Amino acid sequence: MNSSLNGKDYNTLLLGEEGMEILRELRFLIVGLGGLGSFVAQELVRLGAKNLLLVDHDRVERSNLNRQILYDLSDVGKSKVIVARNKLLKIAPDANIEAFDTRVNRTTGGLLVNSVDIVIDCTDNFETKKLLNRLCYKAGKGFIAAGVGSWEGWVASFPFFKREEEEIPCLECLFPGELEALKELGGGSVATAVTTVAVVASVQVQEVVNLVANKGANLEGKTLVVDLRNYQCVPIKISKNPQCEVCAR
Ligand SMILES: [Zn+2]
């Protein structure tokens, strides 16, 4: 480590004042505070994001502790979003973090999506992913979806705030199948390790950075498929489905 960096704000060195200002101003909705959401929320706060809405109706269970890094044994039985909020405020006491201990349905989801700029899907079911996709498309929000199962995962990015100027496919174009058939692609039916959620969640947060803060390469219109057991990481283009129920015009 270069000792000349001591005391400097590393994030500002990396992102510049302009990038930091963007991260500070944007409002993020994190849906699901499980494996992916624990990492996503903590990484966003450590990067300097100040406005986070957290939503999840689950309690912490002992079996969560293998991968959900915001929780420990003393949290078992407690509301995930309340515990998460308290821990995040210990990292950044000046952050504005709101916790919603509720299920995401058409009504609650609509209200939450409409009150933010970027929605980060950290859920383990395609019913909610598809609902978020519809709501984000309709409202023109950024939508960064992901799924994990065993040692594999995927991330896809849909900056619907550009949809008036660009042809942007949606999650339904990528996964047109029935909910049952999608279970193993991030539907919560497969045991998952902390390494997988750490990598996939970090890609989701890096996508925030690349998409809005440093204007690097991004996953717009692509899905990044990661296989940790075989060390494969492949970006795949998403073709827009002209018959898509959500995004076809
Ligand atoms: Zn579509």
Side-chain angles (χ1 to χ4, degrees), residues 2 6 16 20 26 39 42 70 79 91 107 137 204 225 232:
N2 184 341
N6 283 349
M20 291 306 297
L26 284 173
F39 275 99
Q42 192 178 131
L70 281 175
S79 156
I91 301 167
T107 309
Y137 181 82
Q204 287 183 286
V225 180
Q232 288 179 338

Side-chain angles (χ1 to χ4, degrees), residues 5 13 16 32 56 62-63 72-73 86 98 109 115 121 131 143 187 215-216:
L5 290 173
L13 289 172
D56 197 316
R62 209 183 168 95
S63 63
D72 57 55
L73 279 173
N86 291 340
E98 294 177 61
S115 61
D121 156 52
L131 172 63
F143 179 45
K215 311 285 195 280

Side-chain angles (χ1 to χ4, degrees), residues 133 137 158 160 168-174 238-248:
N133 178 59
Y137 181 82
F158 307 101
F160 293 133
I168 295 174
C170 79
L171 190 72
E172 199 79 39
C173 297
L174 177 62
I238 303 169
S239 299
K240 194 169 172 87
N241 174 4
Q243 268 90 47
C244 178
E245 283 181 20
V246 177
C247 71

Side-chain angles (χ1 to χ4, degrees), residues 99-245:
F100 295 89
D101 184 358
T102 185
R103 276 181 195 278
V104 173
N105 56 31
R106 201 166 291 275
T107 309
T108 56
L111 288 168
L112 290 165
V113 166
N114 278 314
S115 61
V116 300
D117 304 295
I118 293 183
V119 176
I120 306 183
D121 156 52
C122 300
T123 68
D124 62 359
N125 72 87
F126 267 88
E127 194 177 351
T128 312
K129 289 180 197 303
K130 290 193 172 203
L131 172 63
L132 292 172
N133 178 59
R134 273 177 195 270
L135 293 170
C136 289
Y137 181 82
K138 196 171 158 201
K141 308 292 183 177
F143 179 45
I144 301 172
V148 284
S150 66
W151 311 103
E152 297 164 27
W154 56 269
V155 177
S157 174
F158 307 101
F160 293 133
F161 48 82
K162 301 183 192 172
R163 69 179 162 76
E164 297 299 327
E165 299 93 55
E166 295 177 29
E167 286 273 294
I168 295 174
C170 79
L171 190 72
E172 199 79 39
C173 297
L174 177 62
F175 295 117
E178 296 297 319
L179 296 175
E180 190 59 32
L182 295 169
K183 267 190 172 169
E184 289 190 8
L185 294 166
S189 66
V190 182
T192 305
V194 68
T195 50
T196 314
V197 291
V199 169
V200 172
S202 294
V203 173
Q204 287 183 286
V205 176
Q206 187 64 38
E207 176 63 10
V208 169
V209 170
N210 287 6
L211 190 63
V212 296
N214 74 4
K215 311 285 195 280
N218 64 55
L219 290 173
E220 177 180 337
K222 292 193 276 290
T223 179
L224 190 71
V225 180
V226 180
D227 175 350
L228 288 178
R229 197 168 35 188
N230 296 305
Y231 285 135
Q232 288 179 338
C233 183
V234 185
I236 298 170
K237 189 177 181 314
I238 303 169
S239 299
K240 194 169 172 87
N241 174 4
Q243 268 90 47
C244 178
E245 283 181 20

